[in-house]
Each structure stands twice: as C-alpha cells, then as structure tokens.
Amino acid sequence: MSRRAVVALSLCGGLAACVDEPPRLVERRQGSEVGSYLDTACSTSVVLGLSQQIAEEVGCLVPGQLVSFTAQANVVFAGSAVLPYLSELGRGDLLAAAAAQPATTLSINSAYRTVAQQYLLHGWWQRGRCNISAAATPGNSNHERGRAIDVGNYGAWISTLATHGWDQTVPGDEVHFDHLASPDLRGSDVEAFQRLWNRNHPEDPIAVDGDWGPMTAARMEQAPAEGFPMGAECVEVGVRAVTVVARSGPTELVAGDHATLAMTLANTGDVAWAAGTAVVTGGGAAGALFDDATWLDPTTLVVLDAAVAPGDEVEVIFDVNAPLVDEATAITDTFVLDDGGVQFGSIAVTLDVVPDGDGGGGGCCGAGGGDPRGGLVTALALGLVLRRRRR
C-alpha cells in the first residue's frame, strides 16, 4: 500500500497565521528611527518590531518557506533579540538534533535575522562598536536566508548538529552553523522591507528588486524601529503544492552502481507550475547522487519545458549514482522547485549505499514525510511525460 508525501505551501494574511504561534513581541510604538540606534545600542532587539513585520512580509513573498519554532525542552533562546524562524527543513533537523542530545541545553544566540538587524550589526562593526569582529553587508548574511543559527555553547553540539545537516561553514566564526539543504531565501527580506516602505510611503517609492543599495539603505535609516503603521499584506495568488502519487526504484545500491528511479508528481495546489520551473538542490549544493547523463548539472535536476496546471501530473524518470563509501551509509539529496526565483516544496531522495561486496537490495520505494532520511521520497528529473489528467 503506497503512501503519499505531501508538501503544501499555504498563503495567508501573514506569516504568523501560516505557521506555529510566533514569538510574542513588545507592543509597537512609533517614534524611533532605525538609524538612531547605530550609535546608541548594541542589541538588535531594538528593531524587533520592524523585523517581525519584515518576517511576515517574507511569508507573503515565499509562503511556507519560513516557519517559527519555540523554546522547548533543551532548546533555549539566549536573549530577546532572537527571531526564531528557519526553513521547515532546517527547523526539523534542528529539533531532531536537540532530541538526540536531550541532557544538554542548546543555547540559540541567533536564528533568522532580517535586513534591519543586519543593517545595525554591519553599522556597529563599521564603527568599531559592540565588540563585533565581522558582519556581512545587509542582504548577504545566511541568517537572512533562513538557514543559519548561532549557538552559544557550540562546542557541545558540533558533532550532533553536523549529523543533522547543520555545519560550521565560516572559518573563525565557531558559533555559526549553516543548514545548506534549506532553500536560499536570498534577498527576500530586502524585498520585504522595500514593499513595506512603499506601502507606507507612496509619495517616496523605491525599487522593489531585493537588492541592497544606497536608496534602500537611506530608507532603512529612516524606518521606524518599532514597525510601520501598515504591516505585512499578502496578495492572493493561491497555493503551491506538490504530491508524490507514484514511485518506483531501489532503496539500496552498491557503491559505484547506478539505478533508474521513476515517480509521478501531481500539482495539488491552485497555481500552475510555470514552464521553466527548475528542480534544484536545496541550498545550491552539488547533488551527492548526481548522474551526468540525466541531470542538467550537479545542482539542477530538470527544467520543465511545459507548464503543469493544477490537477495535472508529471511522470519523471532519472538515474542516480551511488558514491563510494567505506561502510553502509544513507545518502540524501534534497530538492526544491524554483519557479522564477520563488522556491517551494521539499522533495528528498535517500538511498542506502553499501560498500562493494556487501550486496545491494531492491524493491519499491517508500515515500517519506517531514524527515528527508525516512526513505526514498524521490525528485523530478529528465524524461518528462505530462499527463493531462484532472484529479
């Protein structure tokens, strides 16, 4: 009996309504400009009101890609400046890591960070204030992309976090961990701020392009730290959703071997997947199961040459190559759909790879749910057959 793996993204009036209950913030008051804190503060909590609005607007831009998490069990927040949002994949792996080491507190210094918070950090660093050794320019921090955390007691968590997809990737920044399998929300917080500014200042509009530049920087300096009078506002554009309705192929391979996988994906949302929609690796990392004969490149599985309307299905066939291993290892590639820069979905391929000589297995693939390591969920690739069947 087959199981369905459903990845659905819902659009709503704000991020808070789309995900778990978001953190309670102080009441917003008008008065203080963000720029006024460049020389008077050392905590990004001063722009938490504006940051919440930016996070909510990001929820409008990329529905479902930013989800909240709360302090629980052995997960604690180190201060009031923590804005606890991550990608759904990142949150799942973070909580799985915490559960794997329940006797140790996981102290989160920072998670999602908006362009307003990064603006202050970068400004403080430029001024030599607040003991900041380095800070990326606004729009360029992995914290702004929803796939980074800073861990206060990082030494106790390096191994466990790495096992669950969280790695130290910045030399010299030992507290910083990245979840590179998560979708890259690059520029979404900048675009969200630009939209908020224009909504509240129709007399002084700026380009809405997601790029940090002098005009956006000047408006950030003037923006109310406590939040704009008019906050996030989602445009009703529908729901993007994908369901795996059929799959086949082995779940185990011998190192060095390759196999052909197949599945049928259904568009179960009410928004068409546009022609040109790409299926790419999460975070842009090269696929561990890359096959140069059927993948377009190490990070791109396929680009759809035709739209997939709501209710229609796409049957896809592709090959994977099992990397060389010294012991039995579960190898996972995680993919997202990229429709004109809007990334959605979470589709994973997991194969158990055994060393040559240990034998291999076959069988029907099982569909995983929230855990990308729970079996072969499968992904899109070459050999597309579009079947116009309404569900």
Side-chain angles (χ1 to χ4, degrees):
M1 181 176 180
S2 63
R3 293 180 293 141
R4 290 185 176 180
V6 182
V7 181
L9 306 181
S10 299
L11 188 69
C12 57
L15 181 63
C18 298
V19 298
D20 298 342
E21 182 68 18
R24 296 293 182 184
L25 303 179
V26 296
E27 181 182 357
R28 294 175 182 146
R29 295 171 289 104
Q30 298 301 306
S32 303
E33 295 183 347
V34 173
S36 70
Y37 291 109
L38 289 171
D39 298 304
T40 62
C42 279
S43 171
T44 60
S45 62
V46 295
V47 292
L48 209 52
L50 176 58
S51 292
Q52 180 69 45
Q53 287 186 331
I54 293 173
E56 291 170 352
E57 189 75 17
V58 169
C60 296
L61 290 170
V62 284
Q65 294 302 292
L66 201 60
V67 298
S68 70
F69 66 101
T70 58
Q72 54 189 283
N74 59 330
V75 179
V76 301
F77 301 146
S80 60
V82 175
L83 195 60
Y85 293 103
L86 292 169
S87 75
E88 186 173 6
L89 280 173
R91 179 183 67 173
D93 279 349
L94 179 67
L95 297 181
Q101 199 170 317
T104 306
T105 296
L106 178 60
S107 180
I108 305 294
N109 291 350
S110 179
Y112 183 64
R113 187 184 299 155
T114 71
V115 64
Q117 293 169 308
Q118 194 65 31
Y119 169 82
L120 289 179
L121 289 171
H122 187 256
W124 295 334
W125 171 68
Q126 287 183 313
R127 288 163 170 74
R129 300 188 63 244
C130 306
N131 297 316
I132 298 173
S133 58
T137 56
N140 290 291
S141 169
N142 259 4
H143 287 278
E144 295 175 74
R145 300 172 188 177
R147 55 179 189 166
I149 56 173
D150 290 343
V151 179
N153 57 335
Y154 62 90
W157 286 96
I158 294 174
S159 177
T160 302
L161 284 172
T163 300
H164 292 83
W166 287 94
D167 297 302
Q168 292 173 306
T169 61
V170 182
D173 193 356
E174 295 178 312
V175 303
H176 181 91
F177 293 80
D178 285 315
H179 191 267
L180 297 181
S182 289
D184 189 343
L185 304 183
R186 184 193 311 263
S188 60
D189 64 328
V190 178
E191 182 177 349
F193 170 76
Q194 293 166 336
R195 286 167 47 138
L196 285 165
W197 176 269
N198 288 351
R199 188 171 301 137
N200 287 271
H201 291 278
E203 80 291 349
D204 181 30
I206 55 177
V208 180
D209 54 13
D211 292 330
W212 179 261
M215 301 301 287
T216 302
R219 280 25 175 228
M220 179 63 74
E221 181 179 5
Q222 304 169 42
E226 300 84 2
F228 288 103
M230 291 186 288
E233 184 177 294
C234 293
V235 178
E236 293 295 334
V237 296
V239 176
R240 286 183 170 89
V242 55
T243 301
V244 180
V245 296
R247 67 204 56 80
S248 64
T251 58
E252 183 176 293
L253 282 181
V254 175
D257 284 353
H258 72 277
T260 299
L261 308 179
M263 91 295 297
T264 301
L265 296 182
N267 182 346
T268 50
D270 54 23
V271 176
W273 305 343
T277 294
V279 183
V280 298
T281 54
L289 300 171
F290 169 62
D291 174 72
D292 59 5
T294 58
W295 297 34
L296 293 182
D297 60 53
T299 65
T300 307
L301 209 51
V302 70
V303 173
L304 302 182
D305 58 5
V308 181
D312 281 358
E313 299 175 350
V314 173
E315 184 178 15
V316 297
I317 303 170
F318 60 101
D319 285 357
V320 292
N321 284 315
L324 299 179
V325 296
D326 295 325
E327 58 184 14
T329 306
I331 304 295
T332 298
D333 275 335
T334 304
F335 302 89
V336 296
L337 279 69
D338 189 309
D339 184 355
V342 176
Q343 294 187 346
F344 63 97
S346 175
I347 304 171
V349 174
T350 295
L351 286 176
D352 292 325
V353 179
V354 298
D356 190 13
D358 285 358
C364 185
C365 309
D371 184 359
R373 299 167 185 81
L376 178 61
V377 180
T378 204
L380 293 172
L382 295 178
L384 297 178
V385 179
L386 182 60
R387 296 187 295 162
R388 302 289 180 181
R389 187 178 76 188
R390 291 289 172 180
R391 298 175 59 81

